Amino acid sequence: MLAKVFSGAVFGVDAYPVEIEVNAGRGDPQIIIVGLPDAAVKESKDRVWTALINSAFQPPIGRTTINLAPADTKKEGPSFDLPIAIGMLAAQGDINVATLENFAIIGELALSGEVRRVKGVLPIALRMRAEGKEGFLVPVDNAEEAAVVEGLDVYPVRNLREAADFLDGVQELQPCRVDVEAFFESHAQYDDDYADVKGQEHAKRAMEVAVAGGHNLLMIGPPGTGKTMLAKRLPSVLPPLTLEEALETTKVHSIAGTLAARQALVPKRPFRSPHHTISDAGLLGGGAHPVPGEVSLAHRGVLFLDELPEFHRNVLEVLRQPLEDGTVTVSRAAATVTFPCEFMLVAAMNPCPCGFHGDPTRECRCNPRKIEAYHSKISGPLLDRIDIHVEVPSVRYKDLASLERGESSAEIRARVVAARERQRARFKGARRVHCNATMRHKDIQKHCRLGPQAQEMLKHAMSEFDLSARAYDRILKVARTIADMAGVDDIQSDHLFEAIQYRTLDRR
């Protein structure tokens, strides 16, 4: 008898449907899986066989052929265990084949018959809804993740017996429901707050400007001045995630397997801080079968690179294209996939190898050649792509000892959201332009016009600091953001002057 079960698999950040055809026939007892299965899929026949026995089912007694269609696409991972087992039972007549038409099924099987969580459930749920499926059987630990997809009934199953009895009409299961609005509200609080930061008002102002316009930021300062502390509080002032952005972000984390069990969505903007020993594949994504890297895991959030010059130069150079395009394409012999990576880059570095160059209280032990070599680890093209360079000096004792709390993250966030709303209205209908940092050249010409006095000031700065054309565009973008924060339509001279001040490394 022939049975057909519907499931899905992930390619890149999107899913495609997989039809699992199971034919139970006569012959020597054996299970054959075709349709380009990888090692994990081939091994599923042993897991499924044992799970059937331990769930009090009779395994097939003849030749069983399992086809995973489309047959020209490689199938990976253990997520086909449960649908294969259901297909075997249906092929033997233990489950009504007609009931399988409206359901999609996914899950890994333990030898006991327990259903374990798998990766990539959210994009598969979105695809199953598009395919017109009424129900989706998933592991209990993946139920909340899939249930955020409206218009699809998600049924959490604990074991193979429960799934089979539900499909056969013996047992009832209640679909999982997620209150998305309540979920966001329950995760709206942050443990870190800018009120905890002593002093550093200039740096906090620069970070507020960076967040308000989505600009990349580089902090330069001696050790212990609070660069990492400032960076870790950035998510607390970023605009809240919209549902659409949360779904985009959660898809990437679902595929990478970084979601916690029973986590419905990524409720806050990601903050990723990889170690400086990371490889280019770890940063961009890769592997024999490409998976998302840190730049994609930071999608719609912040990628923080501490001790920037300590990263391998080739690792830093691969950031240039993702910073410009907002996507990263990983090509391997097996496949070529594209992952989203629209993130805000925040980096920190010391002014020299010992860390105390320019510090008024501690002596620098580095000679000019060492300092130059240290700075040359970061290429000019990469620095051009960082809109704001800001110095973070040592904190004075007076500020450290003060009992006054600084401005809270909630207050800063309110101003950031107001500036972002102005930008959202300005770029309404524009493709892939959602904040000032993502403006293209034609947008800069349209929205960043300068008066005669401001033009003369920028002309002088370009000549004095020998700035590149890309740095010119960055200054205009930052000035546009400062004007938005001031609530005005025209870029004025003081906005431009502040933007020029944020090119510290160029001024050196």
Side-chain angles (χ1 to χ4, degrees):
M1 183 178 176
L2 177 65
K4 184 184 291 186
V5 181
F6 297 93
S7 187
V10 174
F11 182 79
V13 291
D14 296 312
Y16 61 93
V18 175
E19 295 182 5
I20 300 172
E21 300 170 316
V22 182
N23 185 76
R26 298 180 181 179
D28 296 333
Q30 60 176 320
I31 300 175
I32 299 173
I33 301 178
V34 297
L36 286 183
D38 71 349
V41 179
K42 290 178 180 177
E43 291 170 353
S44 68
K45 61 184 178 182
D46 299 313
R47 291 191 297 272
V48 169
W49 182 280
T50 308
L52 287 170
I53 294 174
N54 289 330
S55 301
F57 288 112
Q58 177 65 43
I61 57 175
R63 178 188 176 95
T64 303
T65 305
I66 301 165
N67 178 44
L68 308 178
D72 61 346
T73 304
K74 192 170 185 64
K75 317 300 185 305
E76 306 168 16
S79 60
F80 301 114
D81 289 2
L82 182 58
I84 286 175
I86 295 296
M88 285 183 174
L89 294 173
Q92 296 179 119
D94 294 333
I95 296 176
N96 186 359
V97 176
T99 63
L100 300 177
E101 184 70 25
N102 296 323
F103 290 91
I105 306 170
I106 195 170
E108 177 186 348
L109 283 177
L111 298 184
S112 63
E114 178 190 356
V115 181
R116 293 173 172 166
R117 65 190 295 254
V118 293
K119 301 177 183 178
V121 168
L122 177 59
I124 294 174
L126 290 167
R127 185 55 192 259
M128 292 303 105
R129 181 183 65 179
E131 293 290 319
K133 299 302 175 187
E134 297 176 3
F136 189 24
L137 271 65
V138 302
V140 170
D141 288 341
N142 290 118
E144 285 82 358
E145 176 188 345
V148 298
V149 179
E150 295 182 357
L152 180 70
D153 288 334
V154 175
Y155 296 95
V157 292
R158 294 176 176 81
N159 51 63
L160 175 57
R161 168 60 69 175
E162 189 175 67
D165 288 348
F166 169 72
L167 292 170
D168 206 29
V170 177
Q171 178 180 347
E172 286 190 9
L173 291 177
Q174 294 301 317
C176 180
R177 297 281 185 258
V178 173
D179 187 337
V180 175
E181 186 175 338
F183 179 80
F184 276 119
E185 287 180 2
S186 65
H187 293 80
Q189 300 300 318
Y190 290 85
D191 295 330
D192 298 322
D193 196 290
Y194 272 113
D196 303 326
V197 179
K198 304 289 187 180
Q200 303 297 11
E201 297 305 322
H202 176 64
K204 284 194 281 188
R205 166 66 180 180
M207 300 194 89
E208 181 181 341
V209 172
V211 173
H215 303 288
N216 301 319
L217 171 78
L218 173 62
M219 294 179 283
I220 309 107
T225 56
K227 299 187 295 295
T228 303
M229 185 179 186
L230 286 163
K232 287 185 175 180
R233 282 155 177 74
L234 266 178
S236 67
V237 298
L238 285 167
L241 276 174
T242 64
L243 178 58
E244 182 182 356
E245 290 174 330
L247 286 173
E248 285 180 20
T249 306
T250 305
K251 281 171 64 176
V252 176
H253 287 256
S254 176
I255 293 162
T258 58
L259 284 182
R262 306 199 178 195
Q263 181 179 349
L265 288 167
V266 174
K268 301 175 182 177
R269 295 190 181 271
F271 181 87
R272 306 293 298 185
S273 181
H275 193 261
H276 64 259
T277 55
I278 191 172
S279 65
D280 52 357
L283 194 63
L284 289 188
H289 304 287
V291 294
E294 289 292 335
V295 295
S296 296
L297 293 174
H299 181 57
R300 300 296 186 189
V302 175
L303 177 68
F304 177 51
L305 302 183
D306 202 3
E307 305 296 344
L308 186 65
E310 301 302 326
F311 285 78
H312 297 296
R313 187 182 178 100
N314 66 302
V315 173
L316 294 179
E317 292 307 301
V318 299
L319 280 173
R320 287 156 57 174
Q321 180 260 336
L323 284 171
E324 289 290 329
D325 299 342
T327 59
V328 56
T329 300
V330 181
S331 297
R332 296 293 184 268
T336 298
V337 298
T338 299
F339 297 117
C341 60
E342 292 185 13
F343 59 92
M344 178 180 166
L345 175 65
V346 178
M349 62 179 287
N350 296 328
C352 66
C354 78
F356 302 117
H357 179 65
D359 192 295
T361 59
R362 285 169 287 190
E363 183 180 357
C364 175
R365 301 188 301 272
C366 307
N367 59 46
R369 183 176 296 177
K370 280 187 177 180
I371 297 174
E372 184 180 353
Y374 183 74
H375 281 264
S376 66
K377 292 181 180 180
I378 308 167
S379 69
L382 180 60
L383 279 177
D384 275 349
R385 287 169 170 82
I386 299 176
D387 304 357
I388 296 176
H389 314 154
V390 61
E391 292 184 349
V392 184
S394 299
V395 185
R396 298 175 301 173
Y397 174 79
K398 178 183 176 182
D399 293 327
L400 287 173
S402 174
L403 298 179
E404 275 188 38
R405 286 175 62 83
E407 195 174 26
S408 70
S409 292
E411 295 172 287
I412 299 173
R413 191 184 208 184
R415 294 196 296 268
V416 167
V417 170
R420 285 289 184 105
E421 285 299 325
R422 291 179 63 89
Q423 294 165 51
R424 188 175 289 109
R426 178 185 301 128
F427 303 125
K428 187 177 181 180
R431 187 185 175 193
R432 288 199 59 204
V433 181
H434 52 84
C435 62
N436 289 333
T438 57
M439 283 193 292
R440 296 158 296 188
H441 186 67
K442 64 178 182 180
D443 301 310
I444 296 173
Q445 289 181 320
K446 180 179 180 181
H447 301 296
C448 301
R449 294 176 180 172
L450 302 176
Q453 185 178 358
Q455 285 183 351
E456 188 62 31
M457 180 188 295
L458 185 55
K459 176 184 176 182
H460 178 73
M462 291 290 295
S463 173
E464 181 72 19
F465 306 136
D466 194 21
L467 299 178
S468 67
R470 186 178 282 115
Y472 171 84
D473 284 350
R474 304 289 171 180
I475 289 173
L476 288 177
K477 288 180 181 181
V478 173
R480 175 69 269 167
T481 298
I482 297 169
D484 287 338
M485 294 172 67
V488 297
D489 294 328
D490 298 326
I491 298 176
Q492 300 169 5
S493 297
D494 55 336
H495 305 147
L496 187 65
F497 182 75
E498 184 178 354
I500 294 171
Q501 290 297 306
Y502 292 140
R503 303 297 299 183
T504 298
L505 294 182
D506 293 332
R507 289 189 284 110
R508 285 182 174 180

